[in-house]
Amino acid sequence: MKKFFTRQILIKSAEQCVKRFPLTVGFIGMLTLFLLTECWGADDLFTSHQFSVIIYYLTVGGLLSLSLRLWSEELKKQRIAQVTGLLCHLLLIADACYLYALPEDFQMLEIGLGHGSMLTILAISIGTFSFFREKDDIASWNFSLQLISQAFASWIVGGIMCGGLSLLTASFSGLFGIEVDNNYYKTWSILFCITLPSLLFIGQIPSGESKHDRTRYASAFTGKTVRYLFLPLLGCYLIVLYAYLLKILVQWQLPDGWVARLVTALMGGCIAVEFGLFPTLRQGAGTFERRAARWLPVAILPLLVLMTIGVGRRISDYGITLNRLYLLALNIWFYIVCTGLYFLRERRVQWIALSFAGIFMLTSALPVNFVSFTQRYMIRSISALINETHVKKLPMNEEEYIDWLMTLPPQQALLVNSRLRILNYDFQNKEIRQFIEPEIHWWRIENCIEKTPQPSDATTVAEEQYTNLSASVSAPLKIKLSDGASDMTLYKEDYREIPCEEWNTGIISFTLHDTDSAADTIRVRITDLRKANAQSDMAALELTCSQSDNRFILTGFSLFRNSSDKNLHFRFSGCHITRTSIH
């Protein structure tokens, strides 16, 4: 921290910013000016999409110019660096123009992941690409560690300044009653959380011999932390996972998909230990540290197989999703890391970050990537299911869609609804419009499916699979009588017992005796009751009557069954409208 508070260092840092990184300083200045313009300008100056693209270009441009400058310092032929830098910036401008021209509702997940993978490579390149001639990673390790510490210190200084000025600004309102515009607080955030820390950071980046410091620094604090805290914690993870492995081998069952979380955490700890011990191992660590660094990846390898089987089971049971594909790619990267750590030992560690960025790019930035593959898989599976179930009308509206889902097994119905919801919200895929119409209430439909009882026997309703249903109309109901003389009888909390066998037919019926002529039998589909049950406020249902001229308007119901009963208990409210002859 004392580097920031000496006059000589501040002057030297300012000179380095201007002379060594002029293009980077230019991008920081343009970013600051743009944010201040957006802060104090008109509200409709830029759309949210345009704002995001401009921020993307200015931020990535600054990082790209910084990385290229650090890399070019290692080249003897500056013409190569100049041509490479020009091509990279032209590509960035073309990319920004492409993003700027996209419509507001464009599917951004695929583009976002692809650009995210390239940004990961760009961020890692700042600390690694300048050291391509080094025989080991000591200089790169020291340089990266300095960058991290300087970034941390720079943003602490900026945060303190921003907090102090914000408090001082707020005091004008508290002490003098002067109303302060919120844009002042935004301005302090821009200047002291973005501009100042960025300039302090690039002004302190080592150069010359300091940049290629090959001294092997071994921190006693880091070594003891790894030895007495991290390694015992990883040992506990190993014990738990190997105990689980023994359990599933004895019971001869497949591993649960949840085990991937523990293995991922274990691998994260292993990589952190390898990075933390790297300087100590290069300087000549003790036997314990060397054995731990060498054999920990070997001990994890069998557990990676467990993770592979767990992920494979989830894909086999529930199909392909974007998360499962990335989890499988992460599992493959874990194999590469464990194998590489065993054979390379302590000579190199930066390849771990580079290999991660490379796999991320290969799975996200290429024309054929995980996002496009997942979308095609989901569309094909839904299309095949619709063809198998012989759906005649496409696209389906919400009621038709619910009716179709009710014909499927519950797990399959939930899976189909989940896939269509993911395609609609996460992928913003418009191909689903060939299957369903817009304005589908996904969560209501999922709630309806989850409450659907599924009898396990053709003649009885299984208690554990039966769900009570109830709903009612809350608003006052207006009923328009048809032409001709009519009678209307109101029913409030009337009660009937329904044989359980009717549940399995999909239709329950009850009889009314409010007419002088023959009794009227009312029929209601269980799917209609399920839909009403899934709504917070049901719409009145017009039901079929055995006498075709009559109508029954259902305004409320409850359908339940006690464990010892042989019948369903049905309470209902509504009105029975009958046509009578004129005397």
Side-chain angles (χ1 to χ4, degrees):
M1 293 290 292
K2 64 184 180 181
K3 289 183 178 182
F4 299 124
F5 300 104
T6 62
R7 181 179 178 184
Q8 293 80 5
I9 292 298
L10 288 175
I11 294 175
K12 183 180 178 180
S13 299
E15 290 178 352
Q16 175 168 281
C17 287
V18 176
K19 293 180 180 180
R20 189 181 177 194
F21 303 107
L23 192 56
T24 306
V25 172
F27 274 106
I28 294 173
M30 288 189 293
L31 177 62
T32 303
L33 183 61
F34 173 72
L35 290 174
L36 291 175
T37 303
E38 175 68 17
C39 176
W40 292 97
D43 292 338
D44 56 349
L45 197 59
F46 300 99
T47 66
S48 59
H49 175 71
Q50 293 170 344
F51 176 79
S52 301
V53 173
I54 296 174
I55 291 294
Y56 162 78
Y57 170 70
L58 296 175
T59 305
V60 176
L63 291 174
L64 179 61
S65 62
L66 176 62
S67 179
L68 289 171
R69 175 58 182 169
L70 292 173
W71 170 72
S72 66
E73 292 176 343
E74 311 302 318
L75 299 179
K76 295 180 181 180
K77 297 181 179 181
Q78 287 300 306
R79 182 61 62 85
I80 297 176
Q82 293 170 359
V83 173
T84 303
L86 179 61
L87 290 176
C88 289
H89 280 285
L90 288 176
L91 287 174
L92 177 61
I93 292 173
D95 180 48
C97 292
Y98 167 72
L99 294 176
Y100 195 87
L102 292 176
E104 292 279 347
D105 59 345
F106 189 79
Q107 177 184 332
M108 296 302 296
L109 180 62
E110 184 175 1
I111 291 179
L113 286 172
H115 284 71
S117 65
M118 301 305 296
L119 284 175
T120 303
I121 293 179
L122 179 59
I124 293 174
S125 70
I126 294 175
T128 56
F129 283 9
S130 300
F131 304 92
F132 59 91
R133 289 197 179 97
E134 297 288 340
K135 296 180 180 180
D136 56 31
D137 287 338
I138 289 296
S140 177
W141 169 267
N142 291 333
F143 181 72
S144 300
L145 196 61
Q146 288 186 69
L147 291 184
I148 294 172
S149 62
Q150 288 164 8
F152 185 71
S154 299
W155 265 268
I156 284 182
V157 171
I160 292 173
M161 290 295 298
C162 178
L165 283 172
S166 297
L167 181 61
L168 183 63
T169 304
S171 68
F172 284 89
S173 176
L175 297 178
F176 304 105
I178 301 174
E179 186 176 351
V180 179
D181 195 320
N182 288 331
N183 287 336
Y184 284 102
Y185 299 103
K186 296 179 182 179
T187 301
W188 305 145
S189 299
I190 294 168
L191 294 178
F192 296 102
C193 291
I194 297 176
T195 309
L196 177 64
S198 301
L199 294 175
L200 288 175
F201 171 70
I202 65 174
Q204 299 298 319
I205 294 177
S207 60
E209 291 299 323
S210 299
K211 180 181 178 182
H212 291 270
D213 183 10
R214 296 175 180 83
T215 307
R216 297 182 176 92
Y217 299 102
S219 172
F221 173 78
T222 303
K224 290 180 180 179
T225 301
V226 169
R227 179 167 185 171
Y228 296 110
L229 291 179
F230 289 173
L231 286 176
L233 177 61
L234 296 183
C236 294
Y237 270 76
L238 286 171
I239 291 172
V240 170
L241 286 169
Y242 271 103
Y244 179 72
L245 176 61
L246 181 62
K247 172 194 171 185
I248 64 173
L249 287 176
V250 171
Q251 297 179 350
W252 198 246
Q253 64 181 23
L254 291 173
D256 190 272
W258 200 86
V259 76
R261 302 180 185 179
L262 280 181
V263 177
T264 301
L266 177 62
M267 272 302 304
C270 174
I271 293 172
V273 165
E274 296 290 343
F275 271 93
L277 289 178
F278 177 70
T280 306
L281 296 174
R282 296 295 296 167
Q283 193 174 15
T287 305
F288 176 78
E289 285 80 3
R290 289 189 176 278
R291 288 180 177 175
R294 180 166 176 76
W295 295 107
L296 181 60
V298 177
I300 295 177
L301 274 173
L303 301 176
L304 295 181
V305 178
L306 193 66
M307 178 180 175
T308 305
I309 297 174
V311 175
R313 177 188 177 185
R314 298 289 292 182
I315 292 177
S316 175
D317 291 345
Y318 304 108
I320 292 173
T321 63
L322 187 61
N323 291 341
R324 290 177 193 132
L325 287 179
Y326 274 113
L327 189 60
L328 185 60
L330 185 66
N331 183 232
I332 294 172
W333 179 66
F334 287 161
Y335 282 110
I336 296 173
V337 171
C338 287
T339 306
L341 287 173
Y342 177 77
F343 287 105
L344 294 177
R345 300 189 184 183
E346 72 274 7
R347 290 191 296 273
R348 299 275 186 178
V349 290
Q350 302 291 44
W351 65 269
I352 297 176
L354 291 172
S355 63
F356 173 82
I359 291 179
F360 189 18
M361 183 199 70
L362 291 174
T363 56
S364 305
L366 297 180
V368 179
N369 51 65
F370 280 173
V371 175
S372 62
F373 179 79
T374 303
Q375 290 186 82
R376 287 198 299 270
Y377 167 80
M378 289 185 174
I379 291 292
R380 284 199 303 266
S381 62
I382 294 171
S383 178
L385 181 61
I386 287 177
N387 292 332
E388 290 176 4
T389 52
H390 305 290
V391 177
K392 296 181 180 179
K393 180 189 174 183
L394 291 177
M396 297 176 278
N397 59 32
E398 184 168 324
E399 297 302 318
E400 294 166 341
Y401 176 56
I402 294 177
D403 290 341
W404 174 60
L405 290 179
M406 294 303 179
T407 64
L408 304 175
Q411 291 298 327
Q412 189 176 30
L414 286 171
L415 181 61
V416 170
N417 190 64
S418 175
R419 285 175 175 172
L420 284 170
R421 177 168 48 83
I422 290 172
L423 287 169
N424 183 67
Y425 284 126
D426 296 344
F427 296 136
Q428 297 177 342
N429 191 298
K430 297 181 180 178
E431 288 188 59
I432 65 171
R433 296 294 166 251
Q434 63 181 302
F435 305 130
I436 56 174
E437 295 178 355
E439 305 300 330
I440 297 292
H441 299 85
W442 303 98
W443 298 110
R444 169 185 170 243
I445 294 171
E446 187 166 311
N447 185 43
C448 184
I449 298 170
E450 289 176 346
K451 292 182 178 181
T452 300
Q454 294 294 322
S456 58
D457 185 83
T459 58
T460 61
V461 178
E463 295 175 14
E464 66 274 8
Q465 295 176 338
Y466 182 78
T467 302
N468 295 334
L469 304 175
S470 63
S472 62
V473 176
S474 59
L477 189 65
K478 295 182 179 180
I479 299 175
K480 182 179 180 181
L481 297 178
S482 58
D483 296 334
S486 299
D487 288 337
M488 182 172 65
T489 305
L490 297 179
Y491 289 84
K492 185 176 181 181
E493 294 295 323
D494 215 307
Y495 172 78
R496 298 288 188 277
E497 288 190 357
I498 310 295
C500 288
E501 290 78 4
E502 290 194 21
W503 177 269
N504 303 301
T505 65
I507 297 176
I508 63 173
S509 58
F510 54 96
T511 303
L512 302 177
H513 299 278
D514 54 46
T515 61
D516 295 335
S517 57
D520 206 355
T521 301
I522 315 300
R523 292 180 176 84
V524 54
R525 296 188 306 169
I526 293 176
T527 52
D528 292 335
L529 298 181
R530 293 173 187 159
K531 294 175 189 176
N533 181 68
Q535 299 173 354
S536 58
D537 182 16
M538 69 169 283
L541 296 177
E542 183 172 338
L543 304 181
T544 303
C545 301
S546 59
Q547 298 186 33
S548 58
D549 290 337
N550 297 342
R551 291 186 297 157
F552 186 84
I553 310 299
L554 184 68
T555 59
F557 70 91
S558 65
L559 181 66
F560 62 94
R561 175 178 181 255
N562 298 323
S563 58
S564 58
D565 292 342
K566 297 181 179 180
N567 294 324
L568 302 173
H569 301 280
F570 183 61
R571 297 186 182 277
F572 63 93
S573 301
C575 57
H576 189 211
I577 303 172
T578 59
R579 293 181 61 85
T580 59
S581 58
I582 299 176
H583 298 286

